Amino acid sequence: VGKFLNRTSKLIELTGGNVFRARAFARAARTIERLETPVATLIASGEILAMDGIGKGLVEQLSELLDRGTFQLAEELEAALPPGVPDLLLIPGLGTKKVRQLWQDLGITSLDELEQAAKDGRIAALPGFGAKVQTNLLSSVPRVRTYRAHKRYADGAADAHAFMTSLTESPGVSQVAFTGALRRGMDILAEAELLISCTDDAWDELSTTANADAPVVDQPLPTLQISRDGELPYRLYRSQDHTWGHDLALSTGPALL
């Protein structure tokens, strides 16, 4: 959750939004990251309103985030940017100000365009960059491209939420929730992890889904991975209603051991 709020702060800066609003999200992110009690628990009790930098408006956004993996403001900010611009933040040494400068001054909106501009020598001429920065950016692009096989949180969460909704409506399924890196709000996702409480028949039905690997049972939780061409794979952990809380904490991570 804290990482998602930090990302929202950066998106506000990238879009040229109110700097004080961006700082407010960054401040709230620091507060959330220091919490030892789950955010959902603090929201339910109302205690979160006593936390530094957390107001009623943000609580509503946090509730929406926990419910569906994003909130309206974040979606609006993402929509206001060319899709590849946030990827530029993955380049070491590029903060929001420099990424916005590259976008506004040179029209760079993707890693490919950044690489070409560096090869052409156009980045070195920008104020605050120079030849050394240009060389470092050019060498960093191939490494960052590796991450593009993964997905940014907002994209992965939106995709996983649609799948979670379909699972919830399936016969024999009583509960479904984000877990693993999705629940932790990691910036980059290698897979979409979901915890599902269901009957034996429902689990068997999922196991016969196209592209589903053989279920793994010799782990803390029964596990099923569903591969998808060009998309994040789904990793499902099976739970039961009476062990749901324990299993959700276990699968959230940092990793299921």
Side-chain angles (χ1 to χ4, degrees), residues 14-38:
L14 281 176
T15 55
N18 187 299
V19 64
F20 295 106
R21 192 179 198 187
R23 289 174 182 171
F25 272 98
R27 178 184 176 189
R30 290 192 295 271
T31 297
I32 295 294
E33 289 170 349
R34 291 195 297 265
L35 295 177
E36 296 182 1
T37 304

Side-chain angles (χ1 to χ4, degrees), residues 69-83:
T70 187
F71 49 79
Q72 184 176 348
L73 173 62
E75 291 176 320
E76 292 172 353
L77 292 169
E78 293 275 2
L81 290 168

Side-chain angles (χ1 to χ4, degrees), residues 88-103:
L88 301 179
L89 291 171
L90 299 172
I91 299 286
L94 285 187
T96 53
K97 290 183 180 179
K98 286 189 178 294
V99 168
R100 183 170 172 80
Q101 185 180 1
L102 289 167
W103 171 31

